[in-house]
Amino acid sequence: MSNYKRTLITSALPYANGPVHIGHLAGVYVPADIYARYLRLKGEEVAFIGGSDEHGVPITLKAKNEGTTPQAVVDKYHQMIKESFAKFGISFDVYSRTSAKVHHETASEFFRKLYDKGEFIEQTSEQFYDTEAHQFLADRYITGTCPKCGFEKAYGDQCESCGTSLNATDLINPKSMLSGNVPVMKETKHWYLPLDKYEPWLREWILEGHKEWKPNVYGQCKSWIDGGLNPRAVTRDLEWGVPVPVDGADGKVLYVWFDAPIGYISATKEWSPEWEKFWKDPETKMVHFIGKDNIVFHCIIFPAMLKAEGSYILPDNVPANEFLNLEGDKISTSRNWAVWLHEYLVDFPGKEDVLKYALTANAPETKDNDFTWKDFQARNNNELVAILGNFVNRALVLTGKYYNGIVPDAGELNDYDRDTLLSIASLKAEVERSLDNYRFREALKLAMDMARLGNKYLADMEPWKVVKTDLERVKTIMNTCLQIAANLTIVFEPFLPFTMEKLRSFLNMER
């Protein structure tokens, strides 16, 4: 199978300024969890890493608006997110956070190593400064009129009305969100990662070396590289974050896009003293699970950082998903148009696997997809209950009725029995092949096909009729049905972990 000894699975760090919703689950956490559970089921060594991304401007803005501190904001949401994931059954080996001491130390060391190697460019530029608040203004701290569409509340990095990416200096009538004053331009020094220097290497590593990546991922990387890469600031003027660990950098922190992916490393460190074998051994396979808005960071910027540092492995694959919409409309946290995980867990107790199933069956793997409650209901009733539940229930009830719940020995198999068991084995192999290639939607459909096959076998064999004339034959039929049920506990384990735990206990099976 694989040439690797172990797998490191990272999942995008959710931003700790609000709860997690179904878009996050479908895009990142459900597929990552399926993959981690699948590899563990095969007995492979796995590290499944998660954590909260706790730095950056939106958190300082939220704290200011709520009259509290950034630490209080991240403490609240980190706890909420961590508990929701645990209840939902996302099986992280560690769920850390970027405000942790181990992360500050790891990110500082990483920056310092690149700094000492001369990997950064130092540049002075003019940026907006609020003289009353005595601080430089990050893009999100500035609002003004969009030069493209005339919207009066555009941010310094983007106009939310027309979607245009902006620089703060593009805004007409810029104002500071801290004081409401007109900001002034003031000189400031920052450190930049020269991505242009890594462009030839990235072109070869991705465009030549990773043609097997999903077309949406490969295509986005190609257009970035073909468009030419520019140096990117790795520091910014802000109080909240990891302080820049060099002299003359007071009031500066590591830019959140630089510090967040290092969170994968610090979380692994927190989890295991043997963290280096997951990050520095070429026999480890690293897979990043992310949404499409994070492709550039995980395929271009973070690999360039790892390459510059020199001692880390690079990702083997980045199976990013597209976005999930809700009832035909884009999920929006600001409009509160979302299904929030912590609320779902309260409203649908014991139905974690139903949501996992619906999100996987409808996963936005190759294009944006839509979640509707009608589809959720149909998947539950017409598939989980009517196909999977129906087969398992009939197999168990009949075994209970005829054999007091003891598995009967099979007699001689006929051609139909043999074909059925061969089909089960071949479906199981197909499920594995799909999972190996990150095609989770396809794998789930194939697993459900196994339950369909069970229903067909049972309906065709009609043991409730045969029992009147041929008791030995019924033993073979029920033995075959129970073999199918046992295989179902294996192929559905990555997708429906809570349900399969129950089914294994019904079948009296060891894990």
Side-chain angles (χ1 to χ4, degrees):
M1 262 304 294
S2 136
N3 324 329
Y4 294 104
K5 275 188 180 169
R6 66 190 73 80
T7 305
L8 170 66
I9 298 169
T10 75
S11 56
L13 306 183
Y15 207 45
N17 70 337
V20 167
H21 58 62
I22 55 167
H24 302 128
L25 294 175
V28 177
Y29 306 105
V30 169
D33 186 61
I34 290 168
Y35 192 61
R37 287 177 183 275
Y38 163 60
L39 295 182
R40 291 189 198 118
L41 202 54
K42 293 204 297 179
E44 296 191 15
E45 189 180 4
V46 173
F48 179 18
I49 307 299
S52 300
D53 179 1
E54 299 185 324
H55 296 136
V57 174
I59 283 162
T60 58
L61 278 175
K62 194 170 187 93
K64 184 177 183 296
N65 293 339
E66 293 180 1
T68 183
T69 63
Q71 190 66 53
V73 170
V74 299
D75 284 350
K76 173 184 168 182
Y77 289 111
H78 168 72
Q79 203 50 41
M80 179 189 281
I81 293 167
K82 187 177 180 177
E83 282 173 12
S84 298
F85 278 146
K87 283 181 192 157
F88 190 57
I90 302 294
S91 59
F92 293 116
D93 288 300
V94 61
Y95 189 80
S96 189
R97 55 193 308 195
T98 60
S99 66
K101 183 168 179 275
V102 64
H103 176 69
H104 277 242
E105 287 167 357
T106 306
S108 296
E109 277 168 25
F110 197 104
F111 177 92
R112 190 74 220 195
K113 182 162 179 190
L114 266 59
Y115 178 86
D116 290 344
K117 284 175 77 178
E119 287 288 344
F120 295 129
I121 304 166
E122 281 183 36
Q123 273 183 7
T124 302
S125 63
E126 292 212 320
Q127 291 185 7
F128 279 126
Y129 184 83
D130 186 324
T131 49
E132 189 180 323
H134 302 295
Q135 75 174 71
F136 282 96
L137 298 171
D139 300 340
R140 283 264 150 172
Y141 276 124
I142 304 160
T143 60
T145 302
C146 172
K148 290 274 187 337
C149 74
F151 179 63
E152 291 184 358
K153 290 183 180 169
Y155 291 113
D157 59 352
Q158 189 180 32
C159 172
E160 297 219 328
S161 177
C162 68
T164 305
S165 285
L166 300 168
N167 289 315
T169 46
D170 300 336
L171 293 174
I172 302 159
N173 302 325
K175 281 197 177 58
S176 164
M177 287 176 71
L178 296 181
S179 63
N181 293 343
V182 177
V184 300
M185 296 300 279
K186 188 176 174 182
E187 250 185 22
T188 181
K189 180 174 76 174
H190 283 291
W191 288 269
Y192 291 75
L193 182 67
L195 286 177
D196 45 338
K197 172 180 159 183
Y198 292 95
E199 196 178 301
W201 168 75
L202 284 163
R203 184 175 289 280
E204 187 183 339
W205 177 63
I206 300 174
L207 302 188
E208 295 305 318
H210 281 296
K211 292 182 175 175
E212 81 287 1
W213 283 3
K214 287 170 73 168
N216 57 329
V217 177
Y218 186 87
Q220 202 181 115
C221 292
K222 187 176 188 316
S223 72
W224 264 79
I225 293 167
D226 288 349
L229 301 175
N230 298 311
R232 248 183 120 107
V234 298
T235 58
R236 64 189 326 187
D237 296 292
L238 207 62
E239 293 294 323
W240 176 247
V242 177
V244 176
V246 295
D247 292 337
D250 295 346
K252 295 182 197 294
V253 295
L254 300 183
Y255 210 151
V256 71
W257 68 256
F258 183 86
D259 119 64
I262 297 171
Y264 301 138
I265 303 170
S266 58
T268 316
K269 262 190 195 179
E270 181 185 306
W271 171 61
S272 170
E274 295 189 304
W275 69 274
E276 288 198 2
K277 72 177 180 181
F278 284 99
W279 280 98
K280 303 197 172 187
D281 180 353
E283 291 187 296
T284 297
K285 174 182 183 173
M286 175 159 62
V287 183
H288 294 311
F289 283 88
I290 55 164
K292 69 175 171 186
D293 50 341
N294 268 319
I295 290 172
V296 65
F297 296 107
H298 289 76
C299 297
I300 290 178
I301 296 171
F302 189 42
M305 288 162 58
L306 295 172
K307 179 79 173 161
E309 198 278 349
S311 69
Y312 287 90
I313 60 167
L314 297 165
D316 180 78
N317 211 316
V318 187
N321 274 346
E322 301 292 292
F323 288 153
L324 187 73
N325 296 322
L326 172 59
E327 300 284 355
D329 194 1
K330 192 177 168 188
I331 290 176
S332 163
T333 51
S334 57
R335 290 188 290 121
N336 198 24
W337 184 249
V339 177
W340 304 104
L341 176 57
H342 68 296
E343 291 179 357
Y344 176 89
L345 292 165
V346 172
D347 294 340
F348 293 87
K351 299 287 185 218
E352 296 82 9
D353 283 355
V354 181
L355 182 58
K356 275 187 183 155
Y357 182 85
L359 292 176
T360 307
N362 207 12
E365 288 182 351
T366 50
K367 60 178 178 34
D368 288 1
N369 232 338
D370 198 34
F371 177 89
T372 68
W373 285 111
K374 199 170 177 181
D375 178 73
F376 171 85
Q377 186 181 22
R379 299 263 182 208
N380 180 70
N381 297 349
N382 307 343
E383 294 171 25
L384 286 174
V385 176
I387 300 170
L388 178 62
N390 181 51
F391 170 71
V392 167
N393 183 51
R394 289 163 84 196
L396 292 174
V397 167
L398 291 171
T399 307
K401 187 174 170 183
Y402 302 150
Y403 308 108
N404 292 323
I406 293 163
V407 180
D409 292 331
E412 198 174 323
L413 301 181
N414 67 22
D415 287 349
Y416 195 169
D417 303 331
R418 273 191 289 272
D419 287 349
T420 300
L421 292 170
L422 282 171
S423 297
I424 292 299
S426 101
L427 271 172
K428 186 168 167 288
E430 281 185 60
V431 170
E432 289 199 25
R433 204 160 32 248
S434 299
L435 289 169
D436 285 333
N437 290 297
Y438 314 104
R439 294 199 295 266
F440 304 109
R441 207 166 65 189
E442 178 181 275
L444 183 61
K445 184 191 169 298
L446 290 162
M448 193 53 88
D449 284 346
M450 191 185 285
R452 286 188 173 92
L453 197 80
N455 276 316
K456 182 172 180 344
Y457 177 79
L458 199 50
D460 289 348
M461 292 296 102
E462 299 184 311
W464 47 90
K465 286 187 183 171
V466 180
V467 77
K468 294 169 186 164
T469 56
D470 189 346
L471 289 173
E472 285 307 303
R473 175 67 191 141
V474 174
K475 286 183 182 175
T476 305
I477 294 169
M478 295 319 300
N479 180 286
T480 304
C481 286
L482 292 169
Q483 285 196 56
I484 296 170
N487 274 282
L488 287 171
T489 68
I490 298 167
V491 293
F492 274 108
E493 163 68 19
F495 306 99
L496 308 172
F498 296 121
T499 313
M500 290 308 111
E501 199 176 336
K502 275 187 211 153
L503 180 51
R504 274 194 305 276
S505 73
F506 292 152
L507 291 166
N508 209 5
M509 282 173 69
E510 293 293 314
R511 171 76 187 266

